[in-house]
PDB file of all heavy atoms in Angstrom:
ATOM      1  N   GLY A  84     225.538  -1.471  74.626  1.00 94.00           N
ATOM      2  CA  GLY A  84     225.765  -1.739  73.217  1.00 94.00           C
ATOM      3  C   GLY A  84     224.681  -2.593  72.583  1.00 94.00           C
ATOM      4  O   GLY A  84     223.661  -2.903  73.215  1.00 94.00           O
ATOM      5  N   PRO A  85     224.871  -3.007  71.328  1.00 96.00           N
ATOM      6  CA  PRO A  85     223.832  -3.694  70.554  1.00 96.00           C
ATOM      7  C   PRO A  85     223.278  -4.965  71.198  1.00 96.00           C
ATOM      8  O   PRO A  85     222.062  -5.164  71.219  1.00 96.00           O
ATOM      9  CB  PRO A  85     224.545  -4.016  69.232  1.00 96.00           C
ATOM     10  CG  PRO A  85     225.605  -2.975  69.116  1.00 96.00           C
ATOM     11  CD  PRO A  85     226.074  -2.710  70.516  1.00 96.00           C
ATOM     12  N   PHE A  86     224.159  -5.819  71.715  1.00 96.00           N
ATOM     13  CA  PHE A  86     223.678  -7.085  72.293  1.00 96.00           C
ATOM     14  C   PHE A  86     222.803  -6.827  73.513  1.00 96.00           C
ATOM     15  O   PHE A  86     221.726  -7.419  73.654  1.00 96.00           O
ATOM     16  CB  PHE A  86     224.856  -7.977  72.661  1.00 96.00           C
ATOM     17  CG  PHE A  86     224.452  -9.288  73.285  1.00 96.00           C
ATOM     18  CD1 PHE A  86     223.797 -10.252  72.533  1.00 96.00           C
ATOM     19  CD2 PHE A  86     224.714  -9.548  74.625  1.00 96.00           C
ATOM     20  CE1 PHE A  86     223.406 -11.454  73.100  1.00 96.00           C
ATOM     21  CE2 PHE A  86     224.339 -10.740  75.201  1.00 96.00           C
ATOM     22  CZ  PHE A  86     223.682 -11.700  74.439  1.00 96.00           C
ATOM     23  N   VAL A  87     223.263  -5.945  74.388  1.00 96.00           N
ATOM     24  CA  VAL A  87     222.487  -5.629  75.595  1.00 96.00           C
ATOM     25  C   VAL A  87     221.163  -4.973  75.226  1.00 96.00           C
ATOM     26  O   VAL A  87     220.101  -5.344  75.736  1.00 96.00           O
ATOM     27  CB  VAL A  87     223.295  -4.715  76.543  1.00 96.00           C
ATOM     28  CG1 VAL A  87     222.423  -4.255  77.717  1.00 96.00           C
ATOM     29  CG2 VAL A  87     224.521  -5.430  77.063  1.00 96.00           C
ATOM     30  N   GLY A  88     221.201  -4.003  74.305  1.00 96.00           N
ATOM     31  CA  GLY A  88     219.983  -3.329  73.893  1.00 96.00           C
ATOM     32  C   GLY A  88     218.980  -4.283  73.269  1.00 96.00           C
ATOM     33  O   GLY A  88     217.784  -4.230  73.572  1.00 96.00           O
ATOM     34  N   THR A  89     219.476  -5.170  72.413  1.00 97.00           N
ATOM     35  CA  THR A  89     218.598  -6.140  71.753  1.00 97.00           C
ATOM     36  C   THR A  89     217.943  -7.068  72.771  1.00 97.00           C
ATOM     37  O   THR A  89     216.732  -7.312  72.720  1.00 97.00           O
ATOM     38  CB  THR A  89     219.389  -6.970  70.732  1.00 97.00           C
ATOM     39  OG1 THR A  89     219.948  -6.094  69.746  1.00 97.00           O
ATOM     40  CG2 THR A  89     218.500  -7.992  70.052  1.00 97.00           C
ATOM     41  N   MET A  90     218.724  -7.579  73.698  1.00 97.00           N
ATOM     42  CA  MET A  90     218.194  -8.521  74.689  1.00 97.00           C
ATOM     43  C   MET A  90     217.243  -7.832  75.676  1.00 97.00           C
ATOM     44  O   MET A  90     216.230  -8.411  76.063  1.00 97.00           O
ATOM     45  CB  MET A  90     219.344  -9.183  75.448  1.00 97.00           C
ATOM     46  CG  MET A  90     220.206 -10.095  74.587  1.00 97.00           C
ATOM     47  SD  MET A  90     219.252 -11.346  73.679  1.00 97.00           S
ATOM     48  CE  MET A  90     218.554 -12.286  75.028  1.00 97.00           C
ATOM     49  N   CYS A  91     217.553  -6.599  76.060  1.00 97.00           N
ATOM     50  CA  CYS A  91     216.639  -5.850  76.925  1.00 97.00           C
ATOM     51  C   CYS A  91     215.312  -5.622  76.217  1.00 97.00           C
ATOM     52  O   CYS A  91     214.230  -5.775  76.810  1.00 97.00           O
ATOM     53  CB  CYS A  91     217.244  -4.503  77.313  1.00 97.00           C
ATOM     54  SG  CYS A  91     218.595  -4.589  78.501  1.00 97.00           S
ATOM     55  N   GLY A  92     215.391  -5.255  74.929  1.00 96.00           N
ATOM     56  CA  GLY A  92     214.185  -5.059  74.135  1.00 96.00           C
ATOM     57  C   GLY A  92     213.392  -6.338  73.989  1.00 96.00           C
ATOM     58  O   GLY A  92     212.157  -6.338  74.041  1.00 96.00           O
ATOM     59  N   LEU A  93     214.098  -7.457  73.825  1.00 97.00           N
ATOM     60  CA  LEU A  93     213.435  -8.759  73.681  1.00 97.00           C
ATOM     61  C   LEU A  93     212.736  -9.154  74.975  1.00 97.00           C
ATOM     62  O   LEU A  93     211.601  -9.656  74.951  1.00 97.00           O
ATOM     63  CB  LEU A  93     214.471  -9.811  73.299  1.00 97.00           C
ATOM     64  CG  LEU A  93     213.941 -11.200  72.956  1.00 97.00           C
ATOM     65  CD1 LEU A  93     213.022 -11.135  71.738  1.00 97.00           C
ATOM     66  CD2 LEU A  93     215.096 -12.163  72.698  1.00 97.00           C
ATOM     67  N   ILE A  94     213.392  -8.917  76.107  1.00 97.00           N
ATOM     68  CA  ILE A  94     212.798  -9.277  77.401  1.00 97.00           C
ATOM     69  C   ILE A  94     211.565  -8.420  77.693  1.00 97.00           C
ATOM     70  O   ILE A  94     210.477  -8.936  77.975  1.00 97.00           O
ATOM     71  CB  ILE A  94     213.835  -9.116  78.532  1.00 97.00           C
ATOM     72  CG1 ILE A  94     214.915 -10.195  78.420  1.00 97.00           C
ATOM     73  CG2 ILE A  94     213.157  -9.200  79.906  1.00 97.00           C
ATOM     74  CD1 ILE A  94     216.090  -9.983  79.347  1.00 97.00           C
ATOM     75  N   ALA A  95     211.741  -7.091  77.640  1.00 96.00           N
ATOM     76  CA  ALA A  95     210.631  -6.197  77.972  1.00 96.00           C
ATOM     77  C   ALA A  95     209.528  -6.237  76.916  1.00 96.00           C
ATOM     78  O   ALA A  95     208.341  -6.254  77.239  1.00 96.00           O
ATOM     79  CB  ALA A  95     211.147  -4.773  78.135  1.00 96.00           C
ATOM     80  N   GLY A  96     209.941  -6.262  75.638  1.00 94.00           N
ATOM     81  CA  GLY A  96     208.955  -6.319  74.561  1.00 94.00           C
ATOM     82  C   GLY A  96     208.245  -7.658  74.516  1.00 94.00           C
ATOM     83  O   GLY A  96     207.028  -7.727  74.299  1.00 94.00           O
ATOM     84  N   GLY A  97     209.008  -8.741  74.715  1.00 94.00           N
ATOM     85  CA  GLY A  97     208.408 -10.073  74.734  1.00 94.00           C
ATOM     86  C   GLY A  97     207.416 -10.223  75.874  1.00 94.00           C
ATOM     87  O   GLY A  97     206.339 -10.807  75.711  1.00 94.00           O
ATOM     88  N   HIS A  98     207.777  -9.677  77.016  1.00 94.00           N
ATOM     89  CA  HIS A  98     206.863  -9.707  78.163  1.00 94.00           C
ATOM     90  C   HIS A  98     205.575  -8.948  77.839  1.00 94.00           C
ATOM     91  O   HIS A  98     204.473  -9.410  78.147  1.00 94.00           O
ATOM     92  CB  HIS A  98     207.549  -9.089  79.383  1.00 94.00           C
ATOM     93  CG  HIS A  98     206.625  -8.858  80.538  1.00 94.00           C
ATOM     94  ND1 HIS A  98     205.954  -7.665  80.724  1.00 94.00           N
ATOM     95  CD2 HIS A  98     206.243  -9.666  81.556  1.00 94.00           C
ATOM     96  CE1 HIS A  98     205.207  -7.750  81.808  1.00 94.00           C
ATOM     97  NE2 HIS A  98     205.367  -8.945  82.334  1.00 94.00           N
ATOM     98  N   ARG A  99     205.725  -7.799  77.215  1.00 93.00           N
ATOM     99  CA  ARG A  99     204.548  -6.984  76.849  1.00 93.00           C
ATOM    100  C   ARG A  99     203.621  -7.742  75.900  1.00 93.00           C
ATOM    101  O   ARG A  99     202.402  -7.713  76.043  1.00 93.00           O
ATOM    102  CB  ARG A  99     205.034  -5.687  76.182  1.00 93.00           C
ATOM    103  CG  ARG A  99     203.925  -4.834  75.547  1.00 93.00           C
ATOM    104  CD  ARG A  99     203.062  -4.186  76.611  1.00 93.00           C
ATOM    105  NE  ARG A  99     202.139  -3.224  76.012  1.00 93.00           N
ATOM    106  CZ  ARG A  99     200.953  -3.527  75.519  1.00 93.00           C
ATOM    107  NH1 ARG A  99     200.534  -4.788  75.544  1.00 93.00           N
ATOM    108  NH2 ARG A  99     200.165  -2.591  75.008  1.00 93.00           N
ATOM    109  N   PHE A 100     204.206  -8.446  74.948  1.00 91.00           N
ATOM    110  CA  PHE A 100     203.402  -9.170  73.957  1.00 91.00           C
ATOM    111  C   PHE A 100     202.784 -10.442  74.535  1.00 91.00           C
ATOM    112  O   PHE A 100     201.591 -10.697  74.387  1.00 91.00           O
ATOM    113  CB  PHE A 100     204.274  -9.513  72.749  1.00 91.00           C
ATOM    114  CG  PHE A 100     203.599 -10.413  71.756  1.00 91.00           C
ATOM    115  CD1 PHE A 100     202.500  -9.974  71.024  1.00 91.00           C
ATOM    116  CD2 PHE A 100     204.056 -11.713  71.563  1.00 91.00           C
ATOM    117  CE1 PHE A 100     201.873 -10.812  70.115  1.00 91.00           C
ATOM    118  CE2 PHE A 100     203.430 -12.556  70.661  1.00 91.00           C
ATOM    119  CZ  PHE A 100     202.337 -12.102  69.932  1.00 91.00           C
ATOM    120  N   LEU A 101     203.604 -11.244  75.230  1.00 89.00           N
ATOM    121  CA  LEU A 101     203.141 -12.550  75.700  1.00 89.00           C
ATOM    122  C   LEU A 101     202.107 -12.457  76.808  1.00 89.00           C
ATOM    123  O   LEU A 101     201.230 -13.312  76.912  1.00 89.00           O
ATOM    124  CB  LEU A 101     204.340 -13.387  76.168  1.00 89.00           C
ATOM    125  CG  LEU A 101     205.328 -13.799  75.069  1.00 89.00           C
ATOM    126  CD1 LEU A 101     206.533 -14.501  75.668  1.00 89.00           C
ATOM    127  CD2 LEU A 101     204.647 -14.701  74.048  1.00 89.00           C
ATOM    128  N   THR A 102     202.204 -11.426  77.632  1.00 85.00           N
ATOM    129  CA  THR A 102     201.222 -11.278  78.711  1.00 85.00           C
ATOM    130  C   THR A 102     199.969 -10.561  78.238  1.00 85.00           C
ATOM    131  O   THR A 102     198.984 -10.484  78.964  1.00 85.00           O
ATOM    132  CB  THR A 102     201.828 -10.498  79.897  1.00 85.00           C
ATOM    133  OG1 THR A 102     202.364  -9.258  79.418  1.00 85.00           O
ATOM    134  CG2 THR A 102     202.923 -11.298  80.569  1.00 85.00           C
ATOM    135  N   ASP A 103     200.019 -10.003  77.024  1.00 68.00           N
ATOM    136  CA  ASP A 103     198.863  -9.338  76.410  1.00 68.00           C
ATOM    137  C   ASP A 103     198.320  -8.223  77.299  1.00 68.00           C
ATOM    138  O   ASP A 103     197.121  -8.024  77.411  1.00 68.00           O
ATOM    139  CB  ASP A 103     197.760 -10.354  76.103  1.00 68.00           C
ATOM    140  CG  ASP A 103     196.748  -9.807  75.083  1.00 68.00           C
ATOM    141  OD1 ASP A 103     197.146  -8.933  74.298  1.00 68.00           O
ATOM    142  OD2 ASP A 103     195.586 -10.234  75.117  1.00 68.00           O
ATOM    143  N   ILE A 104     199.255  -7.506  77.979  1.00 76.00           N
ATOM    144  CA  ILE A 104     198.829  -6.379  78.808  1.00 76.00           C
ATOM    145  C   ILE A 104     198.528  -5.188  77.892  1.00 76.00           C
ATOM    146  O   ILE A 104     199.361  -4.745  77.129  1.00 76.00           O
ATOM    147  CB  ILE A 104     199.934  -5.994  79.818  1.00 76.00           C
ATOM    148  CG1 ILE A 104     200.227  -7.179  80.737  1.00 76.00           C
ATOM    149  CG2 ILE A 104     199.530  -4.785  80.634  1.00 76.00           C
ATOM    150  CD1 ILE A 104     201.403  -6.969  81.644  1.00 76.00           C
ATOM    151  N   GLY A 105     197.367  -4.655  77.987  1.00 64.00           N
ATOM    152  CA  GLY A 105     197.064  -3.446  77.217  1.00 64.00           C
ATOM    153  C   GLY A 105     196.318  -3.689  75.931  1.00 64.00           C
ATOM    154  O   GLY A 105     196.186  -2.804  75.103  1.00 64.00           O
ATOM    155  N   GLY A 106     195.799  -4.911  75.716  1.00 81.00           N
ATOM    156  CA  GLY A 106     194.870  -5.153  74.631  1.00 81.00           C
ATOM    157  C   GLY A 106     195.437  -5.102  73.228  1.00 81.00           C
ATOM    158  O   GLY A 106     196.439  -5.734  72.915  1.00 81.00           O
ATOM    159  N   PHE A 107     194.805  -4.304  72.352  1.00 91.00           N
ATOM    160  CA  PHE A 107     195.023  -4.419  70.906  1.00 91.00           C
ATOM    161  C   PHE A 107     196.409  -3.936  70.447  1.00 91.00           C
ATOM    162  O   PHE A 107     196.778  -4.160  69.300  1.00 91.00           O
ATOM    163  CB  PHE A 107     193.914  -3.680  70.139  1.00 91.00           C
ATOM    164  CG  PHE A 107     194.078  -2.183  70.080  1.00 91.00           C
ATOM    165  CD1 PHE A 107     194.486  -1.564  68.905  1.00 91.00           C
ATOM    166  CD2 PHE A 107     193.832  -1.388  71.198  1.00 91.00           C
ATOM    167  CE1 PHE A 107     194.637  -0.191  68.830  1.00 91.00           C
ATOM    168  CE2 PHE A 107     193.972  -0.016  71.121  1.00 91.00           C
ATOM    169  CZ  PHE A 107     194.379   0.598  69.943  1.00 91.00           C
TER     170      PHE A 107
END
Side-chain angles (χ1 to χ4, degrees):
F86 179 68
V87 173
T89 300
M90 293 307 297
C91 287
L93 187 62
I94 290 171
H98 170 268
R99 171 71 172 86
F100 172 67
L101 294 174
T102 54
D103 198 26
I104 299 173
F107 79 106

